[in-house]
Structure formats: structure tokens, C-alpha cells
Amino acid sequence: DVVRALSRTGSRPFDSAGLVFPLGELLAFGAVFTAGLLYRRRPQIHKRLMTLAMVPILTEPILHFVGQLAGHWPRLQGMGPAVSIPGSLLLLTVPAVFDLLSQRRVHPVSLWVPVLLFTWQLALSFLILPSDVWRRFAAWLVS
């Protein structure tokens, strides 16, 4: 179903993009989750970090959902990024909106962690994915 969500043809040969984003998402989750554990005695920071830690790993279930729908409605094939990217951005803004509504200010964690997570996704897309080092590493991983 992930292939249906990402590919208009329904088939996709191996490419390094198939690995960079899931591995990058796991790395981002691990970093934010670890920070949340380290700040567990500061509840205002801890709860925001733990909530934001879920966002990177929610991309895969969103892609699976779009892929399942594409199995029934072929016009949705290849629409995974068009759904998962705005969905992730929406989820990244939830803590800041909650802060604004409940405290009339945005907590620094609700502002800067989403900025860092978004920057990480851009780095994966434009710096890591096109590099020869990544392609050789990905080929080594699957061999």
C-alpha cells in the first residue's frame, strides 16, 4: 500500500528514497523522544516533546492509509506525499495552537521543535537523499 501511495504506476524499483525517509523519521522520533525523557521532571516541556515525538512516525501510517484507499480508488495512486506532507505540517502546529488558545502565548518547545523537525525533513530531501554517500550506504543496507 505504501508503493500505491507513492507511485502512480503501482510499482517502484528500489531507490534510496525508499529508505531515507523512514530511517530519518525514526531518527527524528528517537531524538525528540529522548529529549522528552530527559525533561520528564519538567512537565510543560516533557508533554510537548512527547506529543511532538509522534509526528515524524505518523507519516508511515498516513501513507498506508492513502495506499489502502488507492486500492479502492485508483485515482488516489501517487497521492501519498500530497496528503502526508500537509498532514504532518498540520500535526506540527497543534501544540502551538493549543498553547495560543490555553495560555495566550506559544511555548518555545512548541515553536522550535516543529521548526527543527521541518528543517530535518528538508535536509533529508535536499542534502542527504541526493548525496553519493547516502546512495552507497543505502545500497549497502539492502545488499
Side-chain angles (χ1 to χ4, degrees):
D1 33 327
V2 172
V3 171
R4 277 195 305 262
L6 295 174
S7 170
R8 289 238 182 247
T9 63
S11 65
R12 189 168 114 187
F14 168 76
D15 65 350
S16 56
L19 288 175
V20 74
F21 293 108
L23 291 177
E25 292 159 1
L26 285 175
L27 189 62
F29 165 77
V32 178
F33 180 79
T34 301
L37 286 179
L38 294 173
Y39 281 99
R40 68 184 172 270
R41 297 208 190 332
R42 297 185 59 189
Q44 295 299 314
I45 295 174
H46 171 76
K47 71 179 181 180
R48 286 171 176 83
L49 287 171
M50 291 310 224
T51 301
L52 288 166
M54 292 185 298
V55 175
I57 59 174
L58 286 175
T59 304
E60 293 303 316
I62 292 171
L63 289 175
H64 281 285
F65 180 66
V66 172
Q68 284 293 322
L69 292 177
H72 300 293
W73 295 295
R75 296 176 83 182
L76 293 176
Q77 271 189 305
M79 295 297 292
V83 173
S84 67
I85 293 169
S88 295
L89 289 173
L90 179 67
L91 290 171
L92 285 172
T93 62
V94 168
V97 170
F98 175 78
D99 286 349
L100 276 174
L101 293 175
S102 65
Q103 300 175 355
R104 301 204 191 283
R105 70 176 188 87
V106 177
H107 193 280
V109 172
S110 298
L111 175 66
W112 290 108
V113 172
V115 168
L116 290 173
L117 288 172
F118 184 71
T119 304
W120 173 244
Q121 285 296 319
L122 292 176
L124 287 175
S125 299
F126 298 112
L127 296 177
I128 296 172
L129 181 60
S131 73
D132 281 340
V133 173
W134 168 253
R135 289 191 183 132
R136 281 187 267 128
F137 179 69
W140 175 80
L141 276 177
V142 297
S143 64

